[in-house]
Amino acid sequence: MKLGLIAGNGRFPFLVLDAARGLGHDVTVIAIKEEAFPHLADAAARPPAAALHWISLGQLGKCISTLTAAGVTQAVMAGQVKHTKLFADILPDLTLLGVLMRLKAKNTDALISGVADVLRDHGIELVNSTAFLTPLLARAGVLTRRAPSAEEESDFVFGYAIADAMAGLDIGQAMLWGVPLRVRQASALFCAREIRAGGEGIAMQTIDGTRPMIGRIHG
């Protein structure tokens, strides 16, 4: 299968690239200039080589034309793209501008859905980013040396509600909670124990990401 990989930053694009080639797919990489790691080009050049194209974040039309010229029928997005760049720091081409003008909500989920619709209009189906990484995903069940206690299970239920609320508001999935003698970073799921134990919420991840959230505390 001819597969397109639209790559942001981080290690995730490297994992998807290796896994897809290991399954015998012919991969074309669209590396986002403002985000993808430079050495992704070296990884793509390793046999079996994958064609790699550096394309700016706002050039959706060029991304689509490059993928269609390569005969790509399915594509996957892998890697982070900073939310602040999506809505503030890009110069959109006419294709992306059309997507932005049709958005009913100015959030990441709506934007990705809009891009997926345009890709589909050009014969390219956007597939789940974990489709090629099943062996690396956490399996169902207990992964630690013991199962959670009843109290911990209750904390998990409480934490899931927070995670769902944050995801629904497109805020993020991390918080900082103050507990005696230390400050602990945790996901919305795992910060529940500190909340119920009387910890004090001191920061929440917003559109700028996790590291700036931590920086606000240290600043």
Side-chain angles (χ1 to χ4, degrees):
M1 178 178 71
K2 292 184 179 295
L3 177 75
L5 169 58
I6 302 171
N9 67 49
R11 290 292 305 166
F12 195 19
F14 294 81
L15 295 174
V16 173
L17 175 61
D18 288 343
R21 288 192 296 195
L23 292 171
H25 299 305
D26 181 1
V27 184
T28 297
V29 181
I30 303 297
I32 298 174
K33 283 182 181 179
E34 297 84 356
E35 293 287 359
F37 290 170
H39 52 286
L40 182 60
D42 298 328
R46 291 197 296 266
L52 183 140
H53 307 267
W54 291 97
I55 294 179
S56 289
L57 186 58
Q59 296 179 304
L60 180 58
K62 184 175 181 181
C63 171
I64 292 172
S65 63
T66 301
L67 292 176
T68 54
V72 167
T73 56
Q74 290 189 324
V76 58
M77 293 181 178
Q80 182 194 35
V81 174
K82 296 181 181 65
H83 290 193
T84 50
K85 290 183 178 180
L86 289 175
F87 293 103
D89 297 338
I90 63 172
L91 181 63
D93 63 10
L94 291 177
T95 305
L96 182 56
L97 185 61
V99 172
L100 294 174
M101 291 179 66
R102 291 192 297 271
L103 292 182
K104 294 181 179 179
K106 298 297 189 290
N107 59 42
T108 308
D109 287 346
L111 179 57
I112 292 175
S113 178
V115 170
D117 289 342
V118 174
L119 288 171
R120 191 177 301 111
D121 291 342
H122 289 80
I124 301 170
E125 190 71 26
L126 195 62
V127 299
N128 191 310
S129 59
T130 62
F132 306 97
L133 301 177
T134 301
L136 300 179
L137 300 180
R139 65 184 185 277
V142 177
L143 302 179
T144 53
R145 284 176 291 184
R146 65 170 180 83
S149 66
E151 181 183 4
E152 289 165 339
E153 287 280 6
S154 177
D155 289 340
F156 287 144
V157 172
F158 186 71
Y160 281 130
I162 297 173
D164 286 344
M166 291 179 65
L169 293 171
D170 200 34
I171 295 173
Q173 296 180 356
M175 294 181 183
L176 280 170
W177 288 90
V179 296
L181 302 180
R182 64 193 175 99
V183 174
R184 177 177 175 181
Q185 180 199 355
S187 69
L189 173 61
F190 295 108
C191 72
R193 191 169 184 81
E194 274 65 33
I195 300 170
R196 292 164 70 106
E200 180 183 1
I202 56 177
M204 178 181 290
Q205 178 188 337
T206 57
I207 195 171
D208 56 353
T210 305
R211 288 187 180 180
M213 174 189 68
I214 298 172
R216 289 195 296 272
I217 302 305
H218 292 295

